Amino acid sequence: MDLQAVERYAIEHTSEDSPIIQELIRASEEDLEHTDMLSGRQVGRLLAILIKVSGARRVLEVGTFTGYSALTMAEALPDNGELFTCEYNKRYENIARTFFEKSKDGHKISLLMGKALDTIPTISGSFDFVFLDADKINYPNYYEMILPRLAAGGLLVIDNVLWGGEVIARESEKATAIDRLSKMIRDDKSVEQLMLTVRDGVTVVRKK
Ligand SMILES: C[S@@+](CC[C@H](N)C(=O)[O-])C[C@H]1O[C@@H](n2cnc3c(N)ncnc32)[C@H](O)[C@@H]1O
């Protein structure tokens, strides 16, 4: 089986991103060299569907980049929904803010600039839904910080859990940290989880 062709086929049979999100992708590609950081249509549509079916209202995102997944999730939230998204690289702030301001759903988004381990504690209350997609080395630390703040029945979605397959040999620090988190989740009786082989691997965790 040609896996690349299968993935292409899967993407072609997945809902398209909204016109403003397609514009955000084009703007990111024109301005930046690392647009492979964008989580992409399969992960984006998965996030949107999970937010809609779970009825989430309060969302935390760790790792904004230029705002692709933040805006995708904001579009899926009800009008009184709230999304807090954490980013520390000022280089990406301009594109993200421009598109949050331009979108009719941007009013739901608060962008917190600074290291996420410092900015997350400044947000009060609990979260119904969390998307973890920032520095892989800190994945286990984010889990310890976020899980107590996730509402019962809430969902935590983690991107890049396969890290291009490196989690199997664990020869880099990042792959080792990601693998450590996956084993913490597997052994945590307070959650149930499903690791999907979508794109670079996505784990969906539900707090019991
Ligand atoms: C993979 S990208 C996020 C992609 C985004 N979720 C999307 O789908 O477009 C990871 C982002 O996390 C940011 N990041 C890395 N370490 C961080 C930290 N300690 N605090 C806040 N942001 C961080 C990076 O600057 C980068 O923009």
Side-chain angles (χ1 to χ4, degrees), residues 97-126:
R97 286 208 195 276
T98 302
F99 281 89
F100 296 164
E101 275 161 30
K102 205 168 166 180
S103 161
K104 64 172 179 41
D105 297 289
H107 65 95
K108 302 169 194 168
I109 304 176
S110 304
L111 172 58
L112 288 89
M113 293 303 297
K115 287 190 179 165
L117 286 171
D118 297 331
T119 55
I120 294 167
T122 69
I123 311 164
S124 60
S126 61

Side-chain angles (χ1 to χ4, degrees), residues 133-150:
D133 190 21
D135 42 333
K136 311 307 164 196
I137 294 284
N138 276 313
Y139 265 21
N141 297 328
Y142 289 124
Y143 186 70
E144 282 173 350
M145 178 175 274
I146 288 164
L147 197 71
R149 312 258 325 257
L150 189 63

Side-chain angles (χ1 to χ4, degrees), residues 37-40 61 63-69 86-89 92 114-116 131 133-136 138 142 160:
M37 287 214 283
L38 281 164
S39 52
E61 172 178 71
T64 315
F65 188 46
T66 53
Y68 170 81
S69 45
C86 306
E87 176 56 57
Y88 76 159
N89 193 332
Y92 311 138
K115 287 190 179 165
F131 180 43
D133 190 21
D135 42 333
K136 311 307 164 196
N138 276 313
Y142 289 124
N160 307 110

